[in-house]
Amino acid sequence: MYDYRSDTVTQPTDAMRDAMMSAKLGDDVLGDDPTVQQLEVRVAKLLGKEAACFVPSGTMANQVAIRAQTEPGDEIIAHEQSHIYEYEGGAPAALSGCSLRLIRSPGGLFEPADVSGSMRPIDDHAPRSRLLVIENTHNRGGGRIWPLDRIADVIGRARSLGLRCHMDGARLMNACVAAGVEARAYASHFDTVSMCFSKGLGAPVGSAMAGPEATVARARRFRKMYGGGMRQSGLLAAAAEFALEHHVARLAEDHGHAQELASGIATLPGYEIDASLVETNIVYFEVPHGAPGGASGVCERLAGAGVLMLPLGPRTVRAVTHLDVDRAGVSRTLEVLSAVPRASS
Ligand SMILES: Cc1ncc(COP(=O)(O)O)c(C=O)c1O
């Protein structure tokens, strides 16, 4: 099986399992798991922030950051295809009582004027514009990277308008490796940043949010309230540490495989893709017009041939490369992709 449904499907390597098994553990809710504490210090340093908090998922990292920086009745400005809006179960409304004002633009990236245009008037009738969220890399934007100067412009505008700023950096390290930019350089523009260890970095579970001491302390309280306080979680933090130590630079391989997959798909009759838009490990493409069953039909037939991908639109398929996909797998995948549109289901 070649599984491109997400970079979350990776299995911990033997070396990562060894690191987990030998981790020193405590009770993190009681504040004495040394491995979690070590990870939190490391993440805060990596992101140039005062503090960090280890959480079970990227969703929780985003949601405790949102809750810690907003009040019910506030409004969050974010892209219409952002993960916090599309894929977190309506959590900003359910958990923080916030509405979302959505920016529409191609690829998940936007301009300072989009932020200004999304602000509410200061008026008792209107929600209070409070927080801007940027996703880097942008998942639905095809793993697009926010250029640093564009972040500076957009966040500069947001700050001048009095907004707080959060970066959903679930795949921040992919952006860092592909763009050659340090994580703290991206993070310096934001009040809070989330990042995931369980995506391309290959850990089984775990994410973190980082920011000013007081904001992280508030987020930690919401983590507990949401049921995310974990006990001997050093076991998981050890996997995250291992991932930061050993799996960051190798993300370049995933990006190379995504590029090979994309340029291969571009040569297959009927498929549509702009390979130049593939900047990291996420590949979106259109299946040929008239392929039986459209994207879903193609994905079903791919699965029958041992290749798993996600249909995300009538003709749109997403494939994500990661630790468990190698070059031979990409070649084999291209052969299978070339055969499936013609096959009937
Ligand atoms: C951009 C982005 N943010 C947040 C998340 C949420 O992560 P989790 O699945 O760990 O909750 C994801 C998951 O894929 C994501 O792609």
Side-chain angles (χ1 to χ4, degrees):
M1 275 286 180
Y2 296 107
D3 192 347
Y4 298 88
R5 289 172 301 164
S6 178
D7 46 9
T8 56
V9 301
T10 52
Q11 297 282 325
T13 60
D14 289 344
M16 182 180 276
R17 287 170 198 249
D18 288 347
M20 294 171 76
M21 286 307 133
S22 58
K24 289 198 177 67
L25 306 177
D27 184 326
D28 184 53
V29 176
L30 300 182
D32 59 24
D33 187 299
T35 310
V36 172
Q37 285 169 359
Q38 187 179 310
L39 176 71
E40 290 179 343
V41 168
R42 182 179 188 141
V43 170
K45 205 164 156 198
L46 176 74
L47 298 174
K49 298 293 178 204
E50 283 175 8
C53 176
F54 184 52
V55 295
S57 68
T59 298
M60 189 174 286
N62 286 334
Q63 294 307 324
V64 295
I66 288 173
R67 183 65 189 89
Q69 297 179 92
T70 57
E71 293 299 332
D74 285 352
E75 190 159 76
I76 300 165
I77 299 172
H79 191 266
E80 62 169 340
Q81 290 187 315
S82 57
H83 199 278
I84 61 155
Y85 175 63
E86 288 276 39
Y87 301 116
E88 299 189 8
L95 302 180
S96 296
C98 290
S99 52
L100 273 137
R101 192 132 205 220
L102 301 173
I103 293 174
R104 291 183 169 75
S105 62
L109 277 52
F110 46 85
E111 304 286 346
D114 294 311
V115 179
S116 311
S118 303
M119 291 296 291
R120 299 286 189 172
I122 298 174
D123 179 320
D124 283 349
H125 296 83
R128 278 183 308 182
S129 304
R130 177 70 70 193
L131 178 71
L132 174 71
V133 177
I134 277 180
E135 193 174 306
N136 190 26
T137 64
H138 201 279
N139 181 342
R140 284 306 305 262
R144 292 285 295 283
I145 301 169
W146 271 83
L148 203 49
D149 53 356
R150 189 130 163 215
I151 287 185
D153 289 349
V154 167
I155 300 297
R157 179 68 58 89
R159 296 240 176 264
S160 73
L161 295 166
L163 295 172
R164 285 183 75 97
C165 301
H166 171 71
M167 174 162 58
D168 176 352
R171 295 184 181 78
L172 179 62
M173 300 320 293
N174 292 83
C176 294
V177 167
V181 172
E182 286 199 13
R184 57 168 50 219
Y186 284 122
S188 66
H189 294 279
F190 298 85
D191 296 290
T192 53
V193 177
S194 58
M195 66 178 293
C196 292
F197 311 109
S198 59
K199 310 221 157 43
L201 294 180
V205 178
S207 299
M209 68 76 68
E213 191 86 53
T215 310
V216 173
R218 214 168 126 74
R220 212 177 270 287
R221 179 172 165 74
F222 292 115
R223 178 186 72 166
K224 185 76 184 81
M225 205 184 275
Y226 299 162
M230 300 180 287
R231 302 295 178 170
Q232 284 70 44
S233 41
L235 207 65
L236 302 175
E241 278 270 348
F242 184 92
L244 286 174
E245 195 69 49
H246 300 283
H247 291 172
V248 173
R250 67 146 309 283
L251 291 172
E253 291 172 34
D254 299 345
H255 302 161
H257 293 147
Q259 222 11 275
E260 279 167 37
L261 187 63
S263 31
I265 291 171
T267 66
L268 299 178
Y271 285 95
E272 289 165 39
I273 185 169
D274 182 348
S276 71
L277 295 180
V278 176
E279 296 178 342
T280 55
N281 66 332
I282 302 182
V283 178
Y284 279 90
F285 62 90
E286 306 289 303
V287 302
H289 282 290
S296 304
V298 167
C299 285
E300 267 171 39
R301 292 191 291 284
L302 285 171
V307 174
L308 302 179
M309 293 184 179
L310 277 187
L312 284 180
R315 287 181 59 221
T316 309
V317 172
R318 187 186 79 167
V320 186
T321 57
H322 51 75
L323 196 58
D324 296 342
V325 170
D326 59 13
R327 183 169 232 174
V330 171
S331 306
R332 172 76 194 122
T333 300
L334 288 167
E335 286 167 21
V336 173
L337 273 167
S338 144
V340 291
R342 293 184 300 276
S344 56
S345 27

